[in-house]
Amino acid sequence: MSKIAKTDIRTLSPQVLEALLVEQGEQRFRVKQINEWLWKKGARSFEDMTNLSKKLRTSLREQFVINSIVADKVQHSLDGTIKTRFRLYDDLMIESVLIPVPADRRFTVCVSSQVGCSLSCKFCATGQMKRVRNLDAAEIFDQVVLVNEQCLEKFGHPLSNIVFMGMGEPLLTYKNVMRSIELISSPEGLNRSPRRITLSTVGIAKMIRKLADDEVKFNLALSLHAADDEKRNSIMPINEQNNLTVLLDAIDYFYQKTKNKISYEYITFQDFNDSIADAANLVKLCKRFPVKVNIIEYNPIEGL
């Protein structure tokens, strides 16, 4: 007979956890204590929860697990960036990147939201992988906690910025990403300012409008990479269903409703999107609302 897998306690809402504990004779305030360990302190073991009784810790361990991600490999680049490959509970792998700029006291983590990606952008290694599954909110949260520890150890400074710009498309796992940002920014969680969080998307217009309607407080970045539809279609298939006119309408809607910062990510490809005409087209896309353009040098990827 196969062994029944335990539930990750972090997937339970406070209400469900409270009902379970009360049914087992525990006091309601224990839920707050447990959640403080899980979300404020990033506990990775029930044994870490030292203000709980030994009996309760044993009971939690028998009923639940904490499926924390685990660093599998760390790679240091010459430019100072630190890439960490994390192993998930089901042995799948994701990556996070720490981008330090010590002179400016800026330390940014780039987090993943999916294992793989389904959008097939021609220049992206992840885009050549199939999407295996979405990350749950806790797996995204863990990346921030663990890379923050890495940042403190290496630079003596906490993370200053969080960007959803790693593996996967954040708007295709909307619920989990929103929950992770809630945990990261809430006083009951890591208490990070949402103004220091940026969600980067290839551009899914209806979901950008949903962000606006949900009145999010974080910033939005569009992975643009070409300033006309013909070129963007050729490297980003999603543009065929979300062309630049539709996208800019959605981003304008987002800006008018939230006034949050907007940026364009623009990788330059030699003799493709780096001409004077391309620059002129890019300027036109910057006139509807305030926007910052990040010009990024392309790092060739073997096989692409």
Side-chain angles (χ1 to χ4, degrees):
M1 183 179 294
S2 61
K3 188 176 180 180
I4 298 175
K6 296 178 184 178
T7 299
D8 187 338
I9 193 171
R10 298 185 299 176
T11 64
L12 302 180
S13 69
Q15 295 78 15
V16 170
L17 182 57
E18 179 179 302
L20 287 171
L21 292 182
V22 169
E23 184 180 331
Q24 295 170 19
E26 295 291 343
Q27 298 295 315
R28 296 180 189 277
F29 72 86
R30 293 298 187 191
V31 177
K32 182 178 180 181
Q33 290 180 316
I34 292 169
N35 280 326
E36 283 182 349
W37 279 108
L38 294 175
W39 305 120
K40 288 182 75 74
K41 302 176 183 179
R44 297 191 275 277
S45 165
F46 294 115
E47 294 309 309
D48 293 339
M49 302 179 182
T50 51
N51 61 346
L52 303 184
S53 68
K54 184 176 181 181
K55 176 185 175 183
L56 178 53
R57 280 180 279 158
T58 300
S59 175
L60 292 173
R61 188 173 63 249
E62 289 174 349
Q63 296 177 78
F64 306 109
V65 292
I66 302 174
N67 284 328
S68 300
I69 67 175
V70 178
D72 182 76
K73 182 179 180 181
V74 179
Q75 178 181 326
H76 296 259
S77 300
L78 293 176
D79 63 2
T81 59
I82 302 173
K83 181 187 293 185
T84 303
R85 184 174 70 189
F86 289 108
R87 184 181 298 275
L88 309 180
Y89 75 93
D90 51 6
D91 286 333
L92 295 172
M93 300 288 187
I94 57 168
E95 290 182 344
S96 306
V97 180
L98 172 60
I99 308 167
V101 187
D104 296 337
R105 299 174 67 84
R106 190 168 73 248
F107 300 87
T108 302
V109 61
C110 176
V111 300
S112 295
S113 56
Q114 296 179 307
V115 181
C117 185
S118 59
L119 297 180
S120 304
C121 295
K122 304 302 183 186
F123 52 86
C124 178
T126 306
Q128 310 313 305
M129 303 164 56
K130 68 176 183 178
R131 186 189 69 81
V132 180
R133 69 171 176 86
N134 297 334
L135 298 186
D136 64 37
E139 290 169 326
I140 299 170
F141 173 89
D142 279 351
Q143 293 173 70
V144 176
V145 170
L146 293 178
V147 176
N148 186 63
E149 291 177 0
Q150 188 181 65
C151 193
L152 285 167
E153 181 179 346
K154 178 74 174 177
F155 301 102
H157 199 285
L159 293 171
S160 59
N161 299 81
I162 300 162
V163 296
F164 284 73
M165 210 174 288
M167 296 171 64
E169 166 53 54
L171 294 184
L172 291 181
T173 176
Y174 190 92
K175 180 180 177 182
N176 293 355
V177 165
M178 292 303 107
R179 173 61 176 155
S180 73
I181 293 175
E182 177 187 353
L183 293 167
I184 292 164
S185 59
S186 167
E188 285 73 44
L190 300 181
N191 201 26
R192 298 303 182 98
S193 170
R195 302 298 183 188
R196 294 283 187 166
I197 299 173
T198 299
L199 184 149
S200 177
T201 175
V202 298
I204 302 172
K206 68 178 182 179
M207 301 309 294
I208 292 172
R209 289 179 176 272
K210 180 168 174 54
L211 288 174
D213 291 337
D214 288 345
E215 299 181 344
V216 301
K217 303 300 183 186
F218 51 81
N219 306 314
L220 180 67
L222 174 67
S223 293
L224 183 61
H225 311 312
D228 69 77
D229 282 320
E230 182 178 358
K231 288 185 178 181
R232 199 164 191 267
N233 286 347
S234 70
I235 59 172
M236 303 178 73
I238 189 68
N239 195 70
E240 295 177 8
Q241 291 81 42
N242 295 262
N243 65 43
L244 289 172
T245 299
V246 172
L247 268 183
L248 262 64
D249 285 346
I251 295 173
D252 191 24
Y253 180 78
F254 174 88
Y255 178 74
Q256 296 305 327
K257 290 206 72 169
T258 69
K259 302 302 181 185
N260 296 349
K261 291 180 181 178
I262 309 291
S263 59
Y264 293 153
E265 309 294 335
Y266 194 95
I267 297 174
T268 54
F269 303 100
Q270 187 173 2
D271 299 327
F272 175 74
N273 65 348
D274 58 351
S275 69
I276 296 299
D278 291 312
N281 286 335
L282 180 57
V283 168
K284 291 176 184 177
L285 300 187
C286 296
K287 292 184 175 181
R288 287 184 61 175
F289 39 77
V291 61
K292 175 183 177 181
V293 179
N294 293 320
I295 304 295
I296 304 168
E297 183 180 1
Y298 179 57
N299 291 316
I301 299 169
E302 187 176 349
L304 294 185

